[in-house]
Every structure is written in C-alpha cells, then in structure tokens.
Amino acid sequence: MRVLLGLAIVAVVAVLWPEAASACASCIASRGEEVATAFIVTTGFLTFLPLAMAAGFFWYLRRRLRKLRQLAQ
Amino acid sequence: MATRSYGSIRIVAEARREPLIPSAVMGMLIFVFLEAMMFAGLISAFAIIRSGAAIWPPPGQPRLPIEETAVNTAALLLSGVLLFLAHRRFQTDRASAQQPLIFSILLGVFFVVFQGVEWVALIRQGLTLTSSSLGSFFYLIVGMHALHAVIALGLLGYTLVRLRRGWLAQSQLAVAEVFWYFVVGLWPILYGVVYL
C-alpha cells in the first residue's frame, strides 16, 4: 500500500511539474520561451487533430444513418 | 431474402442494403486522414523552427510572394466551389455536371502552373532547398501540397472522362471530391502558416 501511495505521489509530481521530474522533453530541449510555447501548442495540435477528425467522421456517419433511416421510412 | 408470388411465378429477391459509406469513399477518407496527419507534422516542425529563429525570414532570403499567392488561393477555393456545384448538378442532371467540373479542373491546373512559375522566380532570387530552413520547409511543405494537387487533378480528369462516357457512379465522383476538397481545404492553412 505504501509503495502504491509513493508511486501515485511520484506520478502526480511528474504530471504537475514535468520540468522538476525532467519528464517533458520539449521543456528541456527548447531554447527560450517562444520555442517552449511552440512545442506545447504543436503537441496539443498533433494530439487533438486526430481526435477532432475521428469525432467529425462519427458525426457524419450518424447524420448519414439518420438520413438513410428517414428514407427507409 | 424476400419472396413474392405472382400466380404460378414465384420471384425471389435478395434485399440489398445500401452501405453507410461506399468502400471507395471510406478508403479515400482513411488516406486523407493519414495525409492530414503528415501535413500536421510538417506544420508543427515548421512552427517550432520558425519560433526559434531570431530573424524571420532568415537573412539574405527573399520575401515570399504573399499578394500573388493570395490570388492563386482564391483560384483554388473557386475550384472547390465549382466542384461542389458539379456534385449538385450530378444529382439532378448528370450531363450538366460537365461544365463546372471542367472549370474546376482548369482552375486547379492554373493553381499548379502558377506555383511552378512562383518557384522558378524564388529559385532565381536565391531561395533553394539548401539555402536556409525557410527554403527547406517551403519546398517540402508547398511541394508536398503541389504533388497532392497534381494527383488529385489526375483523379478529377479521370472522373471527367468517365462522366463524358456515362460511366460515372456517384461514389466515384465522391472519391475525387474528398481528395480535391482536402487539397483545397488544406491550402489556406498552409498559406497562413508558411507565407504570412
């Protein structure tokens, strides 16, 4: 139980303070604030773009399914 | 399986369900998703390199032709609109879809040729693939887009031939549309990121 608690604390620290844990490659590799911001923005962009595309695709499928059902009725 | 009797004749018909998305369109959508991620990676790399540069564009490098490319962007967007018009006409009167499709292709060709002319001028001014990080990313990103535009134009040309011969199915037009809308929709983003 103590080990688990310890691991959980380490995980929380790593998530909240990535620089302290040296867990954020972009924070360490970047030179200057502008580059660090660019790293963070592009990481967000690359993370959310596929999710947005998948969401858009399922939204289109749902719309098309409704249309086909209406035509069938 | 549905069966129906007409006197002594018994007709057996298999009930066919229309697919939610035709397989060809689904394949093209998956391809477009992959290509979108590739361009997203290139844009991200470009944004990071640009943010790290003290002076942009790098010293000794020419300024990118913003105004001329804006005209070219408008031509490409108009091409997308014309393709949409062709799609609408195809649903009501197939033959009438030819004209907007031809003009859509011509505008696409204009876009690619104009890009070629722009490239020649930039190379003469000293912007090459190895001259700076701007040159490397410019030719890589814009070149990849131009390659996609050329392939999509080939697909649109093939679609036109099938339309003229009366062989074009709705799903085949949709495949070409998905690819061309990707090329058209991506360009304003690239223009904003690379040129502005």
Side-chain angles (χ1 to χ4, degrees):
Chain A
M1 190 66 187
R2 275 187 179 178
V3 176
L4 276 176
L5 190 67
L7 283 173
I9 290 168
V10 169
V12 168
V13 168
V15 169
L16 296 179
W17 292 280
E19 286 178 57
S22 295
C24 171
S26 54
C27 303
I28 296 155
S30 60
R31 300 151 297 175
E33 197 156 323
E34 269 191 43
V35 185
T37 309
F39 263 117
I40 291 163
V41 170
T42 53
T43 302
F45 175 56
L46 288 171
T47 305
F48 290 110
L49 181 66
L51 297 175
M53 285 196 297
F57 178 66
F58 284 115
W59 172 79
Y60 171 75
L61 276 186
R62 204 170 149 223
R63 219 184 83 181
R64 187 151 167 78
L65 189 64
R66 274 188 188 171
K67 201 176 165 186
L68 286 177
R69 277 184 183 154
Q70 277 176 355
L71 284 172
Q73 285 169 2
Chain B
M1 194 82 82
T3 57
R4 193 168 282 184
S5 296
Y6 294 94
S8 59
I9 302 167
R10 196 157 174 247
I11 295 172
V12 180
E14 193 177 334
R16 293 190 67 182
R17 291 177 66 186
E18 192 187 340
L20 208 52
I21 289 186
S23 305
V25 179
M26 185 71 195
M28 182 54 84
L29 278 172
I30 292 170
F31 176 70
V32 161
F33 285 176
L34 293 173
E35 296 301 283
M37 286 313 295
M38 184 195 71
F39 277 102
L42 290 174
I43 289 169
S44 299
F46 177 73
I48 288 164
I49 294 293
R50 189 175 173 167
S51 67
I55 306 164
W56 196 266
Q61 292 295 285
R63 183 179 152 275
L64 295 176
I66 295 169
E67 295 82 12
E68 294 89 332
T69 310
V71 175
N72 214 13
T73 304
L76 191 65
L77 290 174
L78 185 59
S79 166
V81 172
L82 285 171
L83 186 61
F84 181 71
L85 188 66
H87 168 91
R88 294 291 291 266
R89 285 196 180 175
F90 186 80
Q91 286 176 327
T92 50
D93 174 23
R94 293 192 170 202
S96 70
Q98 265 191 49
Q99 205 181 19
L101 184 57
I102 289 169
F103 282 112
S104 177
I105 293 171
L106 287 176
L107 280 169
V109 170
F110 170 80
F111 173 82
V112 173
V113 171
F114 196 92
Q115 287 259 304
V117 172
E118 188 183 88
W119 278 32
V120 170
L122 285 169
I123 289 168
R124 281 188 185 151
Q125 288 171 37
L127 187 75
T128 64
L129 201 61
T130 52
S131 64
S132 66
S133 52
L134 171 65
S136 306
F137 274 105
F138 175 79
Y139 290 113
L140 182 64
I141 296 175
V142 178
M144 281 303 285
H145 181 267
L147 180 69
H148 281 73
V150 169
I151 294 168
L153 281 172
L155 191 59
L156 282 178
Y158 179 66
T159 305
L160 179 65
V161 170
R162 288 190 74 95
L163 178 66
R164 290 183 88 133
R165 290 180 183 170
W167 298 341
L168 188 67
Q170 178 85 46
S171 62
Q172 288 164 339
L173 178 63
V175 168
E177 275 183 272
V178 167
F179 198 22
W180 190 244
Y181 291 148
F182 168 67
V183 169
V184 171
L186 178 68
W187 179 251
I189 299 167
L190 296 182
Y191 176 64
V193 171
V194 178
Y195 285 78
L196 301 180

PDB file of all heavy atoms in Angstrom, chain B residues 51-77:
ATOM      1  N   SER B  51       9.762  29.592 -34.628  1.00  0.00           N
ATOM      2  CA  SER B  51       9.734  30.256 -33.316  1.00  0.00           C
ATOM      3  C   SER B  51      11.134  30.383 -32.713  1.00  0.00           C
ATOM      4  O   SER B  51      11.381  31.266 -31.896  1.00  0.00           O
ATOM      5  CB  SER B  51       8.821  29.490 -32.360  1.00  0.00           C
ATOM      6  OG  SER B  51       9.372  28.229 -32.063  1.00  0.00           O
ATOM      7  N   GLY B  52      12.041  29.498 -33.124  1.00  0.00           N
ATOM      8  CA  GLY B  52      13.407  29.539 -32.590  1.00  0.00           C
ATOM      9  C   GLY B  52      14.324  30.492 -33.329  1.00  0.00           C
ATOM     10  O   GLY B  52      15.448  30.761 -32.871  1.00  0.00           O
ATOM     11  N   ALA B  53      13.849  31.008 -34.480  1.00  0.00           N
ATOM     12  CA  ALA B  53      14.698  31.898 -35.283  1.00  0.00           C
ATOM     13  C   ALA B  53      14.626  33.329 -34.753  1.00  0.00           C
ATOM     14  O   ALA B  53      13.529  33.821 -34.448  1.00  0.00           O
ATOM     15  CB  ALA B  53      14.250  31.865 -36.739  1.00  0.00           C
ATOM     16  N   ALA B  54      15.789  33.971 -34.659  1.00  0.00           N
ATOM     17  CA  ALA B  54      15.822  35.350 -34.166  1.00  0.00           C
ATOM     18  C   ALA B  54      15.228  36.294 -35.219  1.00  0.00           C
ATOM     19  O   ALA B  54      14.504  37.238 -34.890  1.00  0.00           O
ATOM     20  CB  ALA B  54      17.259  35.741 -33.829  1.00  0.00           C
ATOM     21  N   ILE B  55      15.561  36.053 -36.493  1.00  0.00           N
ATOM     22  CA  ILE B  55      15.053  36.896 -37.592  1.00  0.00           C
ATOM     23  C   ILE B  55      14.346  35.978 -38.588  1.00  0.00           C
ATOM     24  O   ILE B  55      14.875  34.929 -38.971  1.00  0.00           O
ATOM     25  CB  ILE B  55      16.206  37.632 -38.316  1.00  0.00           C
ATOM     26  CG1 ILE B  55      17.049  38.409 -37.301  1.00  0.00           C
ATOM     27  CG2 ILE B  55      15.677  38.557 -39.407  1.00  0.00           C
ATOM     28  CD1 ILE B  55      18.399  38.829 -37.844  1.00  0.00           C
ATOM     29  N   TRP B  56      13.149  36.392 -38.995  1.00  0.00           N
ATOM     30  CA  TRP B  56      12.394  35.609 -39.988  1.00  0.00           C
ATOM     31  C   TRP B  56      11.798  36.519 -41.044  1.00  0.00           C
ATOM     32  O   TRP B  56      11.161  37.484 -40.661  1.00  0.00           O
ATOM     33  CB  TRP B  56      11.277  34.799 -39.306  1.00  0.00           C
ATOM     34  CG  TRP B  56      10.752  33.723 -40.191  1.00  0.00           C
ATOM     35  CD1 TRP B  56       9.670  33.792 -41.021  1.00  0.00           C
ATOM     36  CD2 TRP B  56      11.311  32.422 -40.366  1.00  0.00           C
ATOM     37  NE1 TRP B  56       9.522  32.621 -41.688  1.00  0.00           N
ATOM     38  CE2 TRP B  56      10.507  31.761 -41.309  1.00  0.00           C
ATOM     39  CE3 TRP B  56      12.428  31.755 -39.834  1.00  0.00           C
ATOM     40  CZ2 TRP B  56      10.775  30.456 -41.737  1.00  0.00           C
ATOM     41  CZ3 TRP B  56      12.683  30.466 -40.239  1.00  0.00           C
ATOM     42  CH2 TRP B  56      11.863  29.826 -41.179  1.00  0.00           C
ATOM     43  N   PRO B  57      11.990  36.300 -42.316  1.00  0.00           N
ATOM     44  CA  PRO B  57      12.759  35.218 -42.954  1.00  0.00           C
ATOM     45  C   PRO B  57      14.258  35.346 -42.689  1.00  0.00           C
ATOM     46  O   PRO B  57      14.728  36.458 -42.407  1.00  0.00           O
ATOM     47  CB  PRO B  57      12.432  35.383 -44.441  1.00  0.00           C
ATOM     48  CG  PRO B  57      11.923  36.759 -44.608  1.00  0.00           C
ATOM     49  CD  PRO B  57      11.345  37.160 -43.310  1.00  0.00           C
ATOM     50  N   PRO B  58      15.001  34.240 -42.765  1.00  0.00           N
ATOM     51  CA  PRO B  58      16.441  34.299 -42.483  1.00  0.00           C
ATOM     52  C   PRO B  58      17.147  35.336 -43.362  1.00  0.00           C
ATOM     53  O   PRO B  58      16.706  35.589 -44.492  1.00  0.00           O
ATOM     54  CB  PRO B  58      16.924  32.882 -42.831  1.00  0.00           C
ATOM     55  CG  PRO B  58      15.706  32.030 -42.726  1.00  0.00           C
ATOM     56  CD  PRO B  58      14.557  32.887 -43.142  1.00  0.00           C
ATOM     57  N   PRO B  59      18.210  35.944 -42.854  1.00  0.00           N
ATOM     58  CA  PRO B  59      18.919  36.981 -43.617  1.00  0.00           C
ATOM     59  C   PRO B  59      19.363  36.478 -44.994  1.00  0.00           C
ATOM     60  O   PRO B  59      19.802  35.341 -45.125  1.00  0.00           O
ATOM     61  CB  PRO B  59      20.139  37.304 -42.745  1.00  0.00           C
ATOM     62  CG  PRO B  59      19.779  36.828 -41.385  1.00  0.00           C
ATOM     63  CD  PRO B  59      18.838  35.699 -41.548  1.00  0.00           C
ATOM     64  N   GLY B  60      19.215  37.356 -45.981  1.00  0.00           N
ATOM     65  CA  GLY B  60      19.647  37.017 -47.342  1.00  0.00           C
ATOM     66  C   GLY B  60      18.632  36.210 -48.132  1.00  0.00           C
ATOM     67  O   GLY B  60      18.878  35.869 -49.285  1.00  0.00           O
ATOM     68  N   GLN B  61      17.495  35.922 -47.511  1.00  0.00           N
ATOM     69  CA  GLN B  61      16.472  35.130 -48.204  1.00  0.00           C
ATOM     70  C   GLN B  61      15.350  36.038 -48.695  1.00  0.00           C
ATOM     71  O   GLN B  61      14.990  37.008 -48.004  1.00  0.00           O
ATOM     72  CB  GLN B  61      15.904  34.062 -47.268  1.00  0.00           C
ATOM     73  CG  GLN B  61      16.916  32.982 -46.904  1.00  0.00           C
ATOM     74  CD  GLN B  61      17.330  32.166 -48.117  1.00  0.00           C
ATOM     75  OE1 GLN B  61      16.585  31.338 -48.593  1.00  0.00           O
ATOM     76  NE2 GLN B  61      18.523  32.427 -48.642  1.00  0.00           N
ATOM     77  N   PRO B  62      14.789  35.747 -49.880  1.00  0.00           N
ATOM     78  CA  PRO B  62      13.728  36.627 -50.399  1.00  0.00           C
ATOM     79  C   PRO B  62      12.427  36.499 -49.611  1.00  0.00           C
ATOM     80  O   PRO B  62      12.194  35.494 -48.943  1.00  0.00           O
ATOM     81  CB  PRO B  62      13.539  36.122 -51.837  1.00  0.00           C
ATOM     82  CG  PRO B  62      13.977  34.712 -51.793  1.00  0.00           C
ATOM     83  CD  PRO B  62      15.065  34.629 -50.780  1.00  0.00           C
ATOM     84  N   ARG B  63      11.614  37.548 -49.759  1.00  0.00           N
ATOM     85  CA  ARG B  63      10.289  37.545 -49.119  1.00  0.00           C
ATOM     86  C   ARG B  63       9.351  36.713 -50.003  1.00  0.00           C
ATOM     87  O   ARG B  63       9.412  36.797 -51.233  1.00  0.00           O
ATOM     88  CB  ARG B  63       9.820  39.004 -49.058  1.00  0.00           C
ATOM     89  CG  ARG B  63       8.523  39.248 -48.384  1.00  0.00           C
ATOM     90  CD  ARG B  63       8.243  40.754 -48.403  1.00  0.00           C
ATOM     91  NE  ARG B  63       6.808  41.021 -48.384  1.00  0.00           N
ATOM     92  CZ  ARG B  63       6.049  41.045 -49.457  1.00  0.00           C
ATOM     93  NH1 ARG B  63       6.556  40.813 -50.650  1.00  0.00           N
ATOM     94  NH2 ARG B  63       4.758  41.303 -49.346  1.00  0.00           N
ATOM     95  N   LEU B  64       8.513  35.907 -49.390  1.00  0.00           N
ATOM     96  CA  LEU B  64       7.595  35.057 -50.174  1.00  0.00           C
ATOM     97  C   LEU B  64       6.499  35.930 -50.800  1.00  0.00           C
ATOM     98  O   LEU B  64       6.058  36.897 -50.178  1.00  0.00           O
ATOM     99  CB  LEU B  64       6.979  33.981 -49.283  1.00  0.00           C
ATOM    100  CG  LEU B  64       7.955  32.949 -48.709  1.00  0.00           C
ATOM    101  CD1 LEU B  64       7.233  31.993 -47.761  1.00  0.00           C
ATOM    102  CD2 LEU B  64       8.653  32.156 -49.794  1.00  0.00           C
ATOM    103  N   PRO B  65       6.086  35.598 -52.025  1.00  0.00           N
ATOM    104  CA  PRO B  65       5.085  36.443 -52.727  1.00  0.00           C
ATOM    105  C   PRO B  65       3.682  36.272 -52.133  1.00  0.00           C
ATOM    106  O   PRO B  65       2.906  35.431 -52.587  1.00  0.00           O
ATOM    107  CB  PRO B  65       5.159  35.936 -54.168  1.00  0.00           C
ATOM    108  CG  PRO B  65       5.652  34.538 -54.059  1.00  0.00           C
ATOM    109  CD  PRO B  65       6.481  34.433 -52.833  1.00  0.00           C
ATOM    110  N   ILE B  66       3.354  37.080 -51.160  1.00  0.00           N
ATOM    111  CA  ILE B  66       2.078  36.947 -50.432  1.00  0.00           C
ATOM    112  C   ILE B  66       0.881  37.339 -51.315  1.00  0.00           C
ATOM    113  O   ILE B  66      -0.103  36.593 -51.397  1.00  0.00           O
ATOM    114  CB  ILE B  66       2.107  37.813 -49.149  1.00  0.00           C
ATOM    115  CG1 ILE B  66       3.171  37.257 -48.193  1.00  0.00           C
ATOM    116  CG2 ILE B  66       0.755  37.841 -48.469  1.00  0.00           C
ATOM    117  CD1 ILE B  66       3.490  38.141 -47.012  1.00  0.00           C
ATOM    118  N   GLU B  67       0.989  38.489 -51.999  1.00  0.00           N
ATOM    119  CA  GLU B  67      -0.157  39.003 -52.778  1.00  0.00           C
ATOM    120  C   GLU B  67      -0.477  38.083 -53.957  1.00  0.00           C
ATOM    121  O   GLU B  67      -1.646  37.736 -54.189  1.00  0.00           O
ATOM    122  CB  GLU B  67       0.125  40.426 -53.292  1.00  0.00           C
ATOM    123  CG  GLU B  67       0.270  41.470 -52.196  1.00  0.00           C
ATOM    124  CD  GLU B  67       1.656  41.495 -51.560  1.00  0.00           C
ATOM    125  OE1 GLU B  67       2.584  40.854 -52.108  1.00  0.00           O
ATOM    126  OE2 GLU B  67       1.815  42.136 -50.499  1.00  0.00           O
ATOM    127  N   GLU B  68       0.555  37.681 -54.692  1.00  0.00           N
ATOM    128  CA  GLU B  68       0.333  36.822 -55.865  1.00  0.00           C
ATOM    129  C   GLU B  68      -0.285  35.495 -55.442  1.00  0.00           C
ATOM    130  O   GLU B  68      -1.182  34.960 -56.101  1.00  0.00           O
ATOM    131  CB  GLU B  68       1.651  36.553 -56.601  1.00  0.00           C
ATOM    132  CG  GLU B  68       2.274  37.777 -57.242  1.00  0.00           C
ATOM    133  CD  GLU B  68       3.219  38.530 -56.304  1.00  0.00           C
ATOM    134  OE1 GLU B  68       3.024  38.473 -55.071  1.00  0.00           O
ATOM    135  OE2 GLU B  68       4.146  39.188 -56.814  1.00  0.00           O
ATOM    136  N   THR B  69       0.209  34.967 -54.322  1.00  0.00           N
ATOM    137  CA  THR B  69      -0.299  33.666 -53.856  1.00  0.00           C
ATOM    138  C   THR B  69      -1.727  33.789 -53.340  1.00  0.00           C
ATOM    139  O   THR B  69      -2.487  32.820 -53.388  1.00  0.00           O
ATOM    140  CB  THR B  69       0.631  33.092 -52.762  1.00  0.00           C
ATOM    141  OG1 THR B  69       1.963  33.148 -53.254  1.00  0.00           O
ATOM    142  CG2 THR B  69       0.315  31.653 -52.451  1.00  0.00           C
ATOM    143  N   ALA B  70      -2.100  34.989 -52.871  1.00  0.00           N
ATOM    144  CA  ALA B  70      -3.485  35.196 -52.426  1.00  0.00           C
ATOM    145  C   ALA B  70      -4.442  35.019 -53.607  1.00  0.00           C
ATOM    146  O   ALA B  70      -5.515  34.416 -53.469  1.00  0.00           O
ATOM    147  CB  ALA B  70      -3.633  36.592 -51.817  1.00  0.00           C
ATOM    148  N   VAL B  71      -4.025  35.523 -54.781  1.00  0.00           N
ATOM    149  CA  VAL B  71      -4.838  35.365 -55.999  1.00  0.00           C
ATOM    150  C   VAL B  71      -4.945  33.874 -56.340  1.00  0.00           C
ATOM    151  O   VAL B  71      -6.023  33.355 -56.666  1.00  0.00           O
ATOM    152  CB  VAL B  71      -4.202  36.148 -57.180  1.00  0.00           C
ATOM    153  CG1 VAL B  71      -4.956  35.886 -58.474  1.00  0.00           C
ATOM    154  CG2 VAL B  71      -4.164  37.632 -56.863  1.00  0.00           C
ATOM    155  N   ASN B  72      -3.813  33.186 -56.240  1.00  0.00           N
ATOM    156  CA  ASN B  72      -3.779  31.755 -56.533  1.00  0.00           C
ATOM    157  C   ASN B  72      -4.669  30.981 -55.548  1.00  0.00           C
ATOM    158  O   ASN B  72      -5.336  30.018 -55.931  1.00  0.00           O
ATOM    159  CB  ASN B  72      -2.330  31.260 -56.425  1.00  0.00           C
ATOM    160  CG  ASN B  72      -2.043  30.162 -57.405  1.00  0.00           C
ATOM    161  OD1 ASN B  72      -2.816  29.921 -58.327  1.00  0.00           O
ATOM    162  ND2 ASN B  72      -0.932  29.471 -57.213  1.00  0.00           N
ATOM    163  N   THR B  73      -4.664  31.417 -54.292  1.00  0.00           N
ATOM    164  CA  THR B  73      -5.503  30.773 -53.268  1.00  0.00           C
ATOM    165  C   THR B  73      -6.975  30.933 -53.631  1.00  0.00           C
ATOM    166  O   THR B  73      -7.763  29.978 -53.512  1.00  0.00           O
ATOM    167  CB  THR B  73      -5.224  31.417 -51.883  1.00  0.00           C
ATOM    168  OG1 THR B  73      -3.834  31.309 -51.618  1.00  0.00           O
ATOM    169  CG2 THR B  73      -5.999  30.738 -50.775  1.00  0.00           C
ATOM    170  N   ALA B  74      -7.326  32.137 -54.078  1.00  0.00           N
ATOM    171  CA  ALA B  74      -8.720  32.395 -54.469  1.00  0.00           C
ATOM    172  C   ALA B  74      -9.120  31.481 -55.628  1.00  0.00           C
ATOM    173  O   ALA B  74     -10.239  30.944 -55.650  1.00  0.00           O
ATOM    174  CB  ALA B  74      -8.877  33.865 -54.863  1.00  0.00           C
ATOM    175  N   ALA B  75      -8.204  31.281 -56.574  1.00  0.00           N
ATOM    176  CA  ALA B  75      -8.485  30.404 -57.722  1.00  0.00           C
ATOM    177  C   ALA B  75      -8.742  28.976 -57.255  1.00  0.00           C
ATOM    178  O   ALA B  75      -9.676  28.308 -57.726  1.00  0.00           O
ATOM    179  CB  ALA B  75      -7.311  30.437 -58.703  1.00  0.00           C
ATOM    180  N   LEU B  76      -7.951  28.516 -56.300  1.00  0.00           N
ATOM    181  CA  LEU B  76      -8.115  27.147 -55.799  1.00  0.00           C
ATOM    182  C   LEU B  76      -9.433  27.000 -55.037  1.00  0.00           C
ATOM    183  O   LEU B  76     -10.137  25.987 -55.187  1.00  0.00           O
ATOM    184  CB  LEU B  76      -6.923  26.775 -54.895  1.00  0.00           C
ATOM    185  CG  LEU B  76      -6.832  25.306 -54.510  1.00  0.00           C
ATOM    186  CD1 LEU B  76      -6.583  24.424 -55.720  1.00  0.00           C
ATOM    187  CD2 LEU B  76      -5.733  25.062 -53.492  1.00  0.00           C
ATOM    188  N   LEU B  77      -9.768  28.013 -54.243  1.00  0.00           N
ATOM    189  CA  LEU B  77     -11.028  27.962 -53.492  1.00  0.00           C
ATOM    190  C   LEU B  77     -12.226  27.955 -54.446  1.00  0.00           C
ATOM    191  O   LEU B  77     -13.190  27.216 -54.238  1.00  0.00           O
ATOM    192  CB  LEU B  77     -11.123  29.147 -52.528  1.00  0.00           C
ATOM    193  CG  LEU B  77     -10.161  29.104 -51.337  1.00  0.00           C
ATOM    194  CD1 LEU B  77     -10.238  30.393 -50.527  1.00  0.00           C
ATOM    195  CD2 LEU B  77     -10.449  27.916 -50.429  1.00  0.00           C
TER     196      LEU B  77
END
